[in-house]
């Protein structure tokens, strides 16, 4: 098995993430598993950006933090990471005067009178040679990514690739093993999942880490058949999304914790008006502005209780790209099936990391809405056994659709009458029965292994835990709830009742999943593994801690 860790770093504005993405796409097209984590401060220019790139012939779930090849687009990257390189190699520009493989990329950029930004492509050419990938494959990626602007990038990459071929030995020889792999981010997977379930309209205001949903859907809206709108703020986002759903368009909104707070009143409005909407919440480090470009899992308890009043809420929490795609599609369909808001709870690491992944494209399709016949008139909130009232939409002939944030009768007329208020409350909460039936079994909880040592985890942390399980020779069972509301207590009680030890691994300081788990199942968590420096769990370190506290 070949397994390689690359760190590529430089200043914000030098195209560090773009370079990592091109290299990752090249490796993916060559048939390898790739995982890329971005690490960057909240700066437009300057500071220190770097990407951890892991490439393997086996399945990869996360980055380890080790460095086999360090690529320095600036001197600061050398200072920050050179001590982690060990037996690997360091690549530096010829102008730096630092120890390592010196490649005069900046000199070529100057000779070609090319934009400074193509420096990053030169170093991708260096990486491609050092790791054994063919130059033709790199040219194909550059032309796909840069289109009309590709030629100068191809030229600088050619110079770098040829120079390295004449002066250095390859560090590792991946070669092309065929079987190109799709390569995308969590936000892109969410977008495609929602589109597969019939997304008509995406409404978003830029806020890290979900901003790239806005960019991705905006760039591909014609091809995907989606309208994209950016209102003035998150309050405008949620209300516009609800207005679109009221008119019959399947809508999705996205934000992070701060923006989600602003949406609470709109989510409560969706609850009482029974308006379907899918909201993506990408957790970042808080509270307040916090550490805005880094990842955290500290919004769980807030999100499962979001908004005022009592109404059916659904919260889904994917842990990898395949689940991002699948649960986004499931979530949009559930919102329309049960006419209630659904939140897809992501985190920054999951939103922005890129990886190779085969999406389950055949598993999601648009479910038609349950529509009402118009022969005998239309009552928007007609009482039904399931609590779900058939839909009609404004603009249809002879149809009046009344929608209100006030309590209402079955026609949507405002009421404070005692029996009707209770009837509407009961009708809405009756939906939970159907929701629980839809979200049971394997859809609710993933289980990996059959040991009597159980490790509970969720979201992006799943990747590090699965890597730790592999290091521990599979001596633990990983349990990953995918549904946070309604919490799958029946499934978890059945799975966890035979464990001799239960641990929880979470990226927050209090153990929010552990709290929810104990509250709902009455099972105590024996060991909490918590990390709240806003950086990911490292599988080696996590495996050691689990071994010490659960396996000894």
């Amino acid at each position: 098995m070949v397994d390689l860790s690359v760190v590529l770093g430089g200043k914000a504005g030098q195209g560090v993430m773009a370079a990592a993405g091109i290299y990752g796409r090249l490796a993916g097209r060559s048939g390898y598993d790739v995982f890329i984590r971005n690490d960057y401060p909240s700066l437009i220019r300057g500071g220190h950006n770097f990407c951890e790139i892991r490439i393997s012939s086996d399945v990869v779930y996360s980055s380890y933090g080790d460095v086999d090849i360090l690529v320095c687009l600036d001197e600061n990257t050398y200072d920050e990471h050179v001590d982690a390189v060990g037996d690997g190699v360091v690549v530096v520009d010829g102008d730096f005067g630092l120890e390592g493989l010196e490649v005069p990329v900046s000199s070529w950029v100057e000779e070609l009178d090319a934009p400074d930004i193509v420096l990053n492509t030169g170093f991708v050419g260096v990486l491609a040679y050092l790791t054994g990938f063919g130059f033709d494959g790199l040219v194909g990626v550059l032309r796909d990514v840069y289109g009309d602007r590709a030629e100068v990038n191809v030229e600088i990459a050619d110079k770098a690739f040829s120079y390295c071929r004449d002066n250095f030995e390859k560090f590792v020889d991946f070669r092309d093993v065929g079987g190109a792999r799709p390569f995308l981010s969590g936000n892109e997977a969410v977008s495609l999942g929602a589109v597969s379930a019939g997304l008509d309209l995406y409404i978003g205001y830029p806020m890290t880490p979900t901003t790239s949903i806005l960019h991705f859907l905006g760039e591909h809206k014609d091809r995907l058949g989606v309208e994209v709108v950016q209102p003035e703020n998150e309050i405008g986002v949620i209300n516009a999304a609800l207005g679109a759903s009221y008119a019959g368009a399947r809508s999705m909104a996205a934000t992070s914790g701060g923006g989600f707070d602003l949406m609470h009143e709109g989510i409560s409005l969706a609850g009482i008006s029974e308006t379907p909407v899918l909201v993506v919440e990408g957790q970042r480090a808080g509270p307040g502005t916090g550490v805005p470009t880094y990842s955290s899992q500290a919004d769980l308890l807030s999100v499962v209780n979001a908004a005022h009043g009592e109404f059916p809420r659904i919260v889904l929490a994917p842990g990898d790209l395949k689940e991002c795609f699948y649960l986004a599609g499931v979530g949009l369909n559930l919102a329309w099936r049960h006419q209630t808001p659904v939140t897809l709870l992501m985190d920054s690491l999951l939103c922005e990391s890129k990886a190779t992944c085969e999406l389950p494209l055949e598993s999601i399709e648009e479910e038609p809405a349950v529509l009402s016949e118009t022969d005998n008139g239309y009552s928007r909130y007609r009482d039904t056994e399931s609590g779900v009232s058939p839909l009609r939409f404004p603009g249809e002939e002879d149809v009046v659709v009344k929608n209100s944030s006030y309590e209402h009768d079955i026609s949507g007329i405002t009421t404070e009458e005692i029996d009707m208020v209770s009837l509407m409350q009961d009708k809405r909460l009756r939906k939970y029965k159907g929701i629980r039936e839809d979200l049971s079994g394997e859809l609710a909880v993933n289980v990996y292994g059959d040991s009597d040592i159980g490790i509970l985890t969720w979201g992006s942390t799943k990747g590090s835990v699965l890597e730790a399980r592999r290091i521990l020779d599979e001596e633990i069972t990983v349990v990953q709830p995918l549904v946070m509301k309604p919490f799958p207590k029946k499934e978890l009680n059945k799975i966890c009742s035979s464990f001799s030890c239960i641990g929880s691994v979470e990226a927050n300081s209090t153990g929010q999943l552990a709290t929810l788990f104990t509250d709902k199942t009455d099972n105590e968590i024996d060991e909490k593994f918590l990390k709240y420096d806003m950086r990911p769990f490292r599988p080696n370190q996590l495996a050691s801690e689990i071994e010490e506290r659960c396996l000894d």
Side-chain angles (χ1 to χ4, degrees):
M1 182 184 77
V2 181
D3 200 314
L4 181 79
S5 292
V6 176
V7 167
L8 189 155
K11 301 182 182 70
Q14 283 192 303
V16 171
M17 294 176 198
I22 290 168
Y23 180 61
R25 188 176 296 192
L26 173 64
R29 286 188 182 185
S30 302
Y32 292 92
D33 250 47
V34 182
F35 180 89
I36 298 179
R37 182 183 83 87
N38 302 327
D39 190 304
Y40 61 101
S42 182
L43 293 171
I44 296 173
R45 290 195 177 277
H48 176 49
N49 288 9
F50 68 96
C51 296
E52 296 176 337
I53 309 165
R54 187 157 167 237
I55 302 171
S56 178
S57 54
D58 200 355
V59 178
V60 295
Y61 302 104
S62 69
S63 56
Y64 273 68
D66 301 334
V67 185
D68 295 314
I69 301 178
L70 174 63
V71 180
C72 307
L73 272 64
D74 68 349
E75 295 92 328
N76 188 40
T77 298
Y78 183 93
D79 295 337
E80 291 284 342
H81 299 279
V82 69
D83 291 341
V85 174
D87 295 331
V89 298
V90 179
V91 179
V92 298
D93 190 272
D95 287 351
F96 292 169
L98 298 170
E99 187 175 348
L101 302 184
E102 292 187 347
V103 186
V105 181
S106 61
S107 297
W108 296 326
V109 172
E110 190 173 344
E111 288 172 12
L112 294 171
D113 196 22
D116 291 343
I117 190 66
V118 302
L119 181 87
N120 66 346
T121 307
F123 282 104
V124 176
V126 174
L127 265 179
Y129 169 76
L130 289 177
T131 52
F133 294 118
F135 186 69
D136 289 345
L138 176 57
V139 171
V141 174
L142 291 173
R143 290 194 168 134
D144 287 346
V145 171
Y146 291 117
D148 295 341
R149 298 177 289 117
E151 288 314 308
V152 67
N153 288 281
V154 171
E155 193 167 0
I156 201 78
D158 187 17
K159 283 183 174 290
F161 192 95
S162 301
Y163 180 88
C164 292
R165 184 181 56 209
D166 294 340
N167 291 279
F168 307 129
E169 296 291 327
K170 292 177 183 175
F171 181 76
V172 64
D173 200 353
F174 274 110
R175 298 183 181 277
D176 190 336
V177 294
R181 312 283 309 283
F183 178 67
L184 68 170
S185 70
N187 281 341
E188 291 167 348
V190 164
S191 302
L192 295 173
V195 168
S196 296
L199 181 70
D200 296 305
L201 176 66
Y202 174 73
I203 304 176
Y205 182 80
M207 193 169 188
T208 304
T210 57
T211 304
S212 63
I213 297 178
L214 183 67
H215 295 164
F216 178 76
L217 288 175
E219 181 179 356
H220 301 286
K221 63 186 182 66
D222 293 336
R223 185 177 178 189
L224 297 175
V226 178
E227 293 296 328
V228 178
V229 178
Q230 179 189 323
E232 70 279 14
N233 56 36
E234 287 84 357
I235 297 173
V237 166
I238 188 66
N239 287 318
L242 296 183
S245 294
Y246 165 67
R250 292 185 174 227
S251 62
M252 179 174 79
T255 184
S256 63
F260 192 73
D261 287 347
L262 294 174
M263 292 183 176
H264 278 205
E265 190 171 7
I267 292 170
S268 187
L269 168 60
I272 194 168
S273 64
E274 305 186 43
T275 306
V277 67
L278 176 63
V279 180
V280 180
E281 208 270 55
Q283 298 169 93
R284 67 188 202 185
T289 305
V291 194
T293 58
Y294 287 86
S295 195
S296 175
Q297 295 179 318
D299 296 352
L300 174 59
L301 295 180
S302 169
V303 168
V304 297
N305 295 297
H308 63 286
E310 296 175 312
F311 59 91
R313 299 172 173 85
I314 300 174
V315 179
L316 308 175
D320 58 29
L321 268 59
K322 187 180 293 186
E323 291 165 4
C324 287
F325 173 88
Y326 181 66
L327 291 184
V330 167
L332 189 58
N333 279 328
L334 284 172
W336 281 82
R337 189 186 308 165
H338 298 286
Q339 297 174 27
T340 199
V342 175
T343 303
L344 192 69
L345 186 55
M346 306 268 286
D347 55 62
S348 184
L349 181 58
L350 186 59
C351 287
E352 297 191 328
S353 294
K354 288 198 166 190
T356 45
C357 177
E358 300 289 346
L359 297 179
L361 299 176
E362 305 301 322
S363 64
I364 297 295
E365 59 182 19
E366 179 181 353
E367 293 181 2
V370 177
L371 300 179
S372 170
E373 300 294 336
T374 58
D375 295 345
N376 298 316
Y378 177 63
S379 293
R380 169 65 186 93
Y381 299 108
R382 180 162 62 87
D383 194 20
T384 64
E385 183 177 351
S386 67
V388 178
S389 307
L391 287 166
R392 299 301 293 189
F393 305 109
E396 299 176 21
E397 188 174 357
D398 298 328
V399 172
V400 176
V401 184
K402 292 186 179 297
N403 190 291
S404 175
S405 68
Y406 217 105
E407 193 55 276
H408 42 256
D409 64 13
I410 62 170
S411 298
I413 304 295
T414 298
T415 185
E416 294 179 349
E417 196 274 322
I418 293 173
D419 291 340
M420 186 55 68
V421 169
S422 298
L423 186 148
M424 282 293 130
Q425 295 264 7
D426 290 342
K427 169 184 131 52
R428 291 191 291 269
L429 291 177
R430 203 154 58 237
K431 295 179 183 178
Y432 262 134
K433 181 182 179 184
I435 291 170
R436 288 193 175 92
E437 289 174 356
D438 286 343
L439 293 173
S440 60
E442 294 180 359
L443 179 58
V445 183
N446 275 336
V447 180
Y448 303 87
D450 58 2
S451 164
D452 67 341
I453 307 297
I455 298 295
L456 203 63
T457 191
W458 66 290
S460 67
T461 304
K462 166 190 175 180
S464 297
V465 178
L466 288 179
E467 293 274 8
R469 177 173 178 265
R470 188 153 60 186
I471 294 168
L472 293 168
D473 200 18
E474 304 183 357
E475 292 188 70
I476 60 174
T477 296
V478 178
V479 181
Q480 177 209 1
L482 295 163
V483 180
M484 296 300 175
K485 183 82 173 187
F487 199 67
K489 59 184 180 183
K490 179 180 175 183
E491 286 82 359
L492 287 170
N493 266 325
K494 182 178 180 182
I495 295 165
C496 299
S497 59
S498 61
F499 288 158
S500 61
C501 176
I502 305 176
S504 71
V505 179
E506 304 180 59
N508 58 55
S509 62
T510 58
Q512 295 195 15
L513 176 60
T515 299
L516 195 60
F517 174 78
T518 298
D519 181 52
K520 298 296 183 183
T521 70
D522 291 331
N523 288 300
E524 296 291 335
I525 294 292
D526 299 302
E527 298 288 345
K528 293 180 183 177
F529 303 88
L530 307 177
K531 198 168 191 296
Y532 41 92
D533 60 3
M534 316 310 170
R535 272 66 172 179
F537 284 93
R538 298 304 189 185
N540 283 324
Q541 184 180 4
L542 181 59
S544 297
E545 290 186 28
I546 292 173
E547 184 172 31
E548 180 181 344
R549 293 163 59 182
C550 294
L551 300 181
D552 281 352

